[in-house]
Structure formats: C-alpha cells, structure tokens
Amino acid sequence: MATTAQLDDFMQGLIRRNPGEPEFHQAVYEVAQHVLPYVAANPKYEREQIFQRLTEPDRIVSFRVCWEDDKGQVRTQRGYRVQHSNAIGPYKGGIRFHDNVTQSILKFLAFEQTFKNSLTGLPMGGGKGGSDFNPKGKSDREIMRFCQAFMTELSRHIGPFTDVPAGDIGVGGREVSYMFGQYKRLVNEFTGVLTGKGLSYGGSEIRTEATGYGVVYFMEDMLARQGDGLKGKRCLVSGSGNVAQYAVEKLIQSGAVVLTVSDSSGTLYDPDGITAEKLAHIKHLKEVQRARINAYLDTYPKAEFLPDRKPWGIPADLAFPCATQNEVLGEDAQQLVANGCRGVSEGANMPSNKDAIDVFQQARILYAPSKAANAGGVAVSGLEMTQNSMRISWSRDELNQRLRVIMRDIHEKCVRYGTGDDGHVDYLKGANIAGFVKVADAMLAYGIV
Ligand code: NDP
C-alpha cells in the first residue's frame, strides 16, 4: 500500500519537474492521495507506471496571439492548448479567456478533465486551452478579432477526431461561434470541431444548461441516498455566469431557495430568494447588458450587495461554488459547516482548496468534487459531437433525460469506489478511482506509448 512517505516522495518529484505551477500540484495531489494506494494494491498499474505517465500531458502548445484593438493599437497575448490524454477519445475540454490564465491553471484543468471525461462514460480524452486575454470591457468587434486571431493558430492543432474544444470562463456562445466561423473559413470544412455552438449551426439543446443542471442533479442524488431532497433547502451559489445561472434555474425548479449569486466584485444576497423572474433579470444583466451583478439592486432594492465578499458566511443548507478555482478556503468551509451546511456540490473546477476539503470531509457532510458534479457540461458536449457525426439533432427532452441518466451513473460510480466500511461515501475518492480505472485500462492495452 502507498504510504504518506510515498505520496510525499511522489509529490516532491512532481513539484521538481513542474516548478511554479501550484494549481497543477494541487490538482495532482487531490487525485494522487487516492489513486496511489489503489495502484499499490493493483500491481499491473504500478508496473507500467500508469499514474506517473498520466501526470505528464501528451503535449502543450503555446503560441503568440496578435490582434488590433478598436483604437488601432496592436495587442499581444499568449494562447495555449494543453492536450493531456487521448487514451479514451479525442482531447476534449474548454477554452478559458481570463487575465489570470497561466500554464499551471490550464495544466490543472486539463488533468482534471481527463478524469471527468472518463467518468461520463463517453469516449472523450482530456484537454484544456485558453489565453490571458481579458474579455471584460472589450467591444464585440474586439472579441471577434481576438477569437479569430486565437483560432488562426489553434486550428493547426485541433480537429473533430483530434481535439474538440468548448467554452469555459470568458468563453460562451458568442466566442465559440466566432472561433467556429474562423475555423470553418481556414479549413473549408463544416465539422463538429467545437461544442457549444448555436442551435442552427450544429449546437445541441441543453448544452448551455447542462453543467449547472448536472451540479444540482448530483446534489439531488446525494440527498436522495440519505432519504432527503432539495425542496425548501436554502442554497448559496457563487458566480453569475453560465454554470451559476443554470444551477440557480434547476434549484428554483426543484423547490430550493437560492439566497446568493456573485461575481468578482462581491456577493448579491437576496433574503427573499431568487425567483424565476429575478433569474431572468440576472441573465439579461449578464448576457445582454454585460453588467456587474450589483446592478440587480436597481430592480430589486430589498436585496443586499456585499462588496468583495464571498457567499460562504451566510447561513444555508447547501453550497454550490460555481465561479472559479480556490474560491472556498479552509476558513470559508469552517463557516459553512458551523452554520449548518450539509452539502457542497462543485460547479466550478477545483473551487475548494485542500484545507476546505479537509473541513468538509472531517465534518462528514456531502461533498461532491467538481470532476464528478460538473461533468454534465462535457457530457452534453460529447452528445453534441455524436449528433454532429450522425448529422441529427435530438430533442431537448431526450437530451435532458440522457443528462439525468449520465449524472446518476456518475453518482453510482462514486458510491461504488468511494464507500467506506461504515457506509460513508467519500465522493472524492470514488470519483478519482473510477475516473482513473477506465483511462488506465486503455493505457495498459496500448503498451508503452
Ligand atoms: P463564466 O465566464 O460564464 O462565469 C464565471 C463567473 O465566475 C462570473 O460570475 C465571474 O465573475 C466569476 N469569476 C470568474 N473568475 C473569478 C475570480 N477570479 N474571482 C471571483 N469570481 C470570478 O464561466 P462559467 O460559468 O462557464 O465557468 C465557471 C466555472 O465552472 C469555472 O471554474 C469553469 O471551469 C467551470 N466549468 C464550466 C463549464 C461550462 O460548461 N461552462 C463546465 C465545467 C466546469 P466576473 O464576471 O466578475 O469575472
């Protein structure tokens, strides 16, 4: 069995080989703590060094992106695509535009994506890409020119059987469409090379909603296992982008009471609960007006805006971090637990740091890690790829049902690999091992490649 000393040794080697990449170290540690002991108990994986090989991405492409802003000034950004593993299918994972994007962040996201995609049961490898381009405050034409410049280089490295990117932070339907338009122009092919496209040009119903809905479905399944449900539960949601909006929508439909959303400027707290009508207003603010979340107060003055604060100090039953990595720290987790929070389902990727996860696990509350809870988005992306290949479109109902089944299957896999002798489910352990096994078995079959 792998010991703490073996885990420490493994992590020291990883840190030495990948200096200055704290997010990548964090993501690997999160998986290694469970997979190393599992590998030690299953020598076929150890002999072939499968996990060690999985901590090295297949390749990383890094490139210059030059574009011209509205004032005619030349701007230079850095673009990346981390192709982590194509053991079980073409590389698949989103593109992030945010000024804090680094190679470390994209390596952590691509690593996580490999395990997540495996959990969906669909044939997709893991990848992630992006740029340190900051879309905030840019005009529509600036966004278009940047997306075109970015895709001009990226197009050499992707393809429907090679690598199929999607959206992520700062990349929604508008950006995906600009990139798809440029790809189509460059290669003169209409193929499903990106997912998250508009419905009239190869997009899939439910893709926009899938990540947020899936995060709530996963919580529903965790609660159901304890004979409980979402109705009447007070919920904290962070973020107000794609994932947050549709997590809120599904929570409202499920009879829960959503108290907060947020953005990088602070938290919006509505003690009366965010209704469907209020959510429609939030979507308009964010997607049409591209406003900050505190603009909500102009229409609903009874709500409160807490500048520079995260939602985690407000008493509630359930928490759904849906903004960004490391947004829930140890002290946030302690506050949540002290206030009676019983469950956390992660919409964002790696939103809880190690200290926070330790607090949740020691308190034995329901904790659904992102690689399981937010896999619904990439799952419907996988279904978009299938529809593109078959040149058909499934209905909204059919896709929602498929999403529901996939989330239930992921929950079952986590229970299968994560249930302890006392019946308590460690969803993080379950997700890590279940995600690993499928990829590892494919790697064993390929030999040393
Ligand atoms: P969006 O760009 O639509 O929304 C992101 C939200 O998070 C915004 O409200 C944004 O606020 C906030 N946010 C971003 N960065 C920070 C930060 N550093 N500090 C505080 N708030 C921040 O992105 P998505 O909703 O698509 O993605 C959210 C998370 O979900 C990410 O972790 C992403 O990787 C993950 N995810 C997304 C999937 C998808 O299908 N879209 C699939 C699986 C995971 P502001 O506008 O002020 O920046």
Side-chain angles (χ1 to χ4, degrees), residues 96 98 100 109 113 116 128 136 167-171 207-208 210-212 238-245 262-265 286-287 291-292 321-325 327 347-350 374-375 377-378:
R96 176 176 294 192
H98 193 283
N100 75 2
L109 288 164
Q113 194 81 45
K116 177 186 318 194
K128 202 84 186 192
K136 285 200 194 97
D168 190 74
I169 291 180
V171 178
R207 174 61 191 93
T208 313
T211 308
S238 66
S240 47
N242 171 266
V243 180
Q245 287 172 19
S262 71
D263 66 16
S264 52
S265 61
K286 298 306 276 190
E287 302 306 314
R292 310 307 297 155
C322 296
T324 192
Q325 65 273 355
E327 54 166 319
N349 284 311
M350 207 169 71
N374 73 18
V378 73

Side-chain angles (χ1 to χ4, degrees), residues 4 92 112 124 140 149 151 154 233 339 357 360 368 402 430:
T4 312
K92 179 94 199 82
E112 287 267 305
M124 299 181 288
D140 194 59
M151 182 50 85
L154 187 69
K233 295 281 185 309
N339 284 335
I357 296 172
F360 296 145
R402 284 177 187 262

Side-chain angles (χ1 to χ4, degrees), residues 74-89:
V74 177
R75 311 279 288 259
T76 305
Q77 247 80 45
R78 188 173 297 167
Y80 302 90
R81 187 73 182 162
V82 180
Q83 296 181 329
H84 184 260
S85 166
N86 66 354
I88 59 168

